[in-house]
Amino acid sequence: MTATATIQQIWCLRQATGTDLGVVQALSGLAPAQVLSQLGVSSIESFVRGIPEVVGAMDSARSDPDNLFITTDTSGDLDNSIWPHGNTTVDVQAGQSLTPGITLPVSFSQNISLFDHDSASGNDLLGSITIFESERGAGEIAKLAKSEVESSYYYVTYRVD
């Protein structure tokens, strides 16, 4: 039976702002993946918000939102978006979380890429994660999708059944 992954939450730790070395350094120590039951927390957001350097980085973020859409490829084409539907985007800023509820088949591995829609200069990759079939039954997993070029940091929480 094919495994399925359900994207439960996307939490924006920092939306794309361009390069800010101090903020990038504060965020660089974040773990790339966490099994939430091992942290003893109910959400990645509550865990990360407890780290003082991260709180400061979030507070320094600009107010321009990312126009978020998600693909399973790395082309960055809004026409290939799997969420939201209808070639649309969702405005997201630091500290906001979304619950897309996307369910995808996973045969060995599945890429998830987050993009910022930009009609003027091309869409910007905000970060990607890879979901593995071998994660089936591990419970909720949170992985960091980041772009050092865009200085964006998002946690994607999912489970594989």
Side-chain angles (χ1 to χ4, degrees):
M1 182 158 136
T2 302
T4 59
T6 303
I7 310 299
Q8 297 171 308
Q9 182 183 44
I10 297 173
W11 177 51
C12 178
L13 180 58
R14 179 176 168 94
Q15 76 266 19
T17 60
T19 303
D20 181 337
L21 185 58
V23 172
V24 171
Q25 288 175 338
L27 297 173
S28 66
L30 291 174
Q34 291 291 335
V35 176
L36 297 183
S37 63
Q38 293 175 350
L39 296 176
V41 296
S42 61
S43 73
I44 191 69
E45 182 176 352
S46 63
F47 175 74
V48 173
R49 283 186 182 273
I51 304 170
E53 295 84 9
V54 173
V55 173
M58 289 171 60
D59 289 344
S60 71
R62 288 188 332 194
S63 62
D64 298 341
D66 287 338
N67 306 114
L68 179 69
F69 69 96
I70 300 171
T71 70
T72 56
D73 61 35
T74 56
S75 70
D77 187 350
L78 186 59
D79 290 336
N80 295 335
S81 173
I82 61 166
W83 186 87
H85 298 293
N87 287 348
T88 60
T89 64
V90 175
D91 288 351
V92 182
Q93 293 180 305
Q96 291 182 315
S97 38
L98 307 164
T99 53
I102 305 165
T103 301
L104 304 165
V106 179
S107 179
F108 183 67
S109 66
Q110 177 63 61
N111 175 74
I112 301 292
S113 294
L114 285 64
F115 284 92
D116 179 30
H117 179 63
D118 189 345
S119 58
S121 64
N123 299 330
D124 300 317
L125 178 63
L126 301 172
S128 295
I129 65 161
T130 303
I131 298 171
F132 295 97
E133 183 178 14
S134 62
E135 295 170 324
R136 184 187 296 198
E140 290 185 339
I141 298 170
K143 287 188 180 173
L144 183 63
K146 67 179 183 174
S147 168
E148 293 185 14
V149 171
E150 297 300 323
S151 197
S152 59
Y153 292 78
Y154 283 79
Y155 268 104
V156 178
T157 302
Y158 63 92
R159 65 180 302 116
V160 181
D161 297 309

